[in-house]
Amino acid sequence: MTQLKQKKRVVVICPGRGTYNKEDLGYLHRLHPDKTDIVESVDAYREQKRQVSIQSLDTAEQFNMRSHTAGENASALIYACAISDFQSINEDEYEVVAVTGNSMGWYIALAAAGALNQQSAIELINTMGSMMTDGVIGGQMIYPVTDEFWVLDQQALDITEQALLEVNKIDGCEAYVSIKLGGYIVFGGNKKGLKALEQALPIVQDRYPMNLFNHAAFHTPLLNETSVKAKSILPSTLFTAPNVPLIDGVGQIWQPYSCNAQELYDYTLGTQVVETYDFTKAVEVAIKEFAPDKLIVLGPGATLGGAVAQSLIQHNWLCLQNKKDFISLQKTDPFILAMGLEEQRKLVI
């Protein structure tokens, strides 16, 4: 009697804004020539909105920082790349037991898990990505809170906490924790607040604190009006219960058979727009609740892999204590498979 090969259990992680960069130009064209249905459906929607096609963005001769990173373009482009990667996962080899994502990656996670169909997904993602067309509200800035070995640095955490307190005492300044991203904190705030925070934080590695180009102050109270506007444009009927469990930005699990689609809609267009997105917590829940054999990080890019690894180190997962341990594990038996990296991609598709 032939014994069936047991599938590896995986949690899929969807990338956020800023993952389609210069080196990723042509990602769709190069790796997904067979996914024309996704590209065509996205571009048909964008044509109605008189927006540039993602096909022309992806096949451009040169990467243009302003156009490729603009919210209305980057969001749709990254969604198409990531969902195409998701559809390329070898189903004979892997069983997807849960899906999560970072920031905008939450919208992609909704699509991957089946809580949004293809049309609903592009409507949500394109709408949210286009909210800043008339002017970006505030900004985001990233700062590390681990040492060079990717071990959490309590002193750095204390410094950032104190700096935030002091900055918010200054008249006209607003700054918040926007995203908890493994070994980094992403701050969101108004321009005055971020400027004051930049001056208050010690310079690290000659490049931090680093302002993120073309990023709005998502996951902060500055986006309250954006949340209200989104709910007025997008109906709750776009949402259904997912096919596989979803882990959100507070670490809550949305289960297929107990999910309330209206509550999922309220969280997506309410809570996570205006409150801190704790990606670190989402990774913690993914490993502790689902104990996966692997974590698959969808492309484009592979920048999210570091933040995921730092989250694993925080919990001593697989006995990982530092960056050296993680690199050693990845060389022998990779636990994180980033589809934006050619060698690891081969193990997934």
Side-chain angles (χ1 to χ4, degrees):
M1 186 175 174
T2 307
Q3 192 172 6
L4 289 172
K5 183 182 176 183
Q6 193 168 6
K7 294 182 183 181
K8 290 188 178 74
R9 301 171 74 259
V10 297
V11 173
V12 171
I13 300 174
C14 305
R17 280 279 304 280
T19 51
Y20 188 104
N21 295 301
K22 188 176 181 179
E23 57 274 19
D24 303 300
L25 192 64
Y27 195 91
L28 273 173
H29 179 72
R30 188 170 65 252
L31 300 174
H32 296 293
D34 59 326
K35 305 293 194 309
T36 51
D37 61 321
I38 293 171
V39 177
E40 285 172 3
S41 69
V42 171
D43 280 343
Y45 181 85
R46 287 174 64 81
E47 189 178 358
Q48 293 172 11
K49 304 292 179 183
R50 297 183 178 178
Q51 293 173 317
V52 62
S53 71
I54 58 166
Q55 185 169 4
S56 64
L57 286 166
D58 186 65
T59 57
E61 285 187 21
Q62 287 186 312
F63 184 85
N64 183 298
M65 192 75 170
R66 191 158 294 281
S67 61
H68 280 93
T69 65
E72 65 271 21
N73 296 336
S75 54
L77 191 53
I78 290 165
Y79 160 69
C81 292
I83 210 69
S84 295
D85 270 359
F86 182 76
Q87 290 187 7
S88 300
I89 295 171
N90 185 344
E91 293 180 3
D92 296 328
E93 188 79 21
Y94 300 105
E95 178 194 357
V96 177
V97 295
V99 185
T100 190
N102 171 46
S103 188
M104 191 205 89
W106 169 247
Y107 305 144
I108 303 170
L110 287 165
L116 297 171
N117 64 29
Q118 192 163 288
Q119 195 56 38
S120 298
I122 187 53
E123 188 173 344
L124 170 71
I125 287 163
N126 207 82
T127 300
M128 296 307 292
S130 301
M131 283 292 182
M132 303 297 149
T133 308
D134 297 329
V136 175
I137 297 171
Q140 283 181 328
M141 187 170 72
I142 190 167
Y143 193 75
V145 287
T146 62
D147 62 21
E148 60 187 301
F149 306 109
W150 286 2
V151 177
L152 208 58
D153 184 341
Q154 189 57 50
Q155 188 180 3
L157 280 170
D158 293 343
I159 287 169
T160 58
E161 192 175 329
Q162 189 58 38
L164 263 184
L165 282 172
E166 295 303 320
V167 162
N168 283 304
K169 289 177 185 175
I170 302 169
D171 190 42
C173 286
E174 284 188 74
Y176 308 88
V177 173
S178 171
I179 306 169
K180 292 181 179 178
L181 189 61
Y184 296 90
I185 290 177
V186 178
F187 298 101
N190 61 12
K191 286 179 181 172
K192 190 177 179 182
L194 289 181
K195 186 69 178 173
L197 190 59
E198 187 178 10
Q199 291 168 349
L201 291 169
I203 296 171
V204 181
Q205 299 169 27
D206 294 328
R207 57 182 181 146
Y208 297 105
M210 181 193 293
N211 285 290
L212 299 175
F213 182 72
N214 250 343
H215 284 225
F218 270 96
H219 319 298
T220 75
L222 290 172
L223 271 289
N224 274 320
E225 284 186 23
T226 300
S227 171
V228 172
K229 184 180 176 184
K231 285 180 178 178
S232 72
I233 298 170
L234 297 161
S236 59
T237 50
L238 294 175
F239 288 68
T240 60
N243 300 321
V244 294
L246 270 164
I247 307 162
D248 68 19
V250 293
Q252 180 178 345
I253 302 170
W254 299 82
Q255 295 282 4
Y257 297 111
S258 60
C259 173
N260 181 311
Q262 179 64 46
E263 289 176 4
L264 186 59
Y265 167 85
D266 290 338
Y267 168 77
T268 300
L269 297 185
T271 309
Q272 72 88 30
V273 176
V274 300
E275 294 182 17
T276 301
Y277 198 97
D278 195 342
F279 176 69
T280 309
K281 186 68 177 179
V283 174
E284 180 188 357
V285 171
I287 56 176
K288 291 181 177 180
E289 293 295 331
F290 295 94
D293 298 307
K294 305 283 181 187
L295 298 175
I296 294 177
V297 181
L298 305 180
T303 52
L304 202 54
V308 175
Q310 289 157 354
S311 302
L312 300 179
I313 290 166
Q314 284 180 30
H315 300 287
N316 201 212
W317 198 252
L318 303 177
C319 299
L320 297 174
Q321 294 184 8
N322 51 44
K323 185 178 181 179
K324 185 181 175 184
D325 289 349
F326 172 70
I327 291 170
S328 178
L329 175 69
Q330 287 295 103
K331 283 180 180 176
T332 54
D333 183 21
F335 180 66
I336 299 174
L337 300 175
M339 293 185 74
L341 296 175
E342 191 177 347
E343 279 190 22
Q344 291 175 17
R345 184 183 188 83
K346 289 175 185 173
L347 302 173
V348 178
I349 61 172

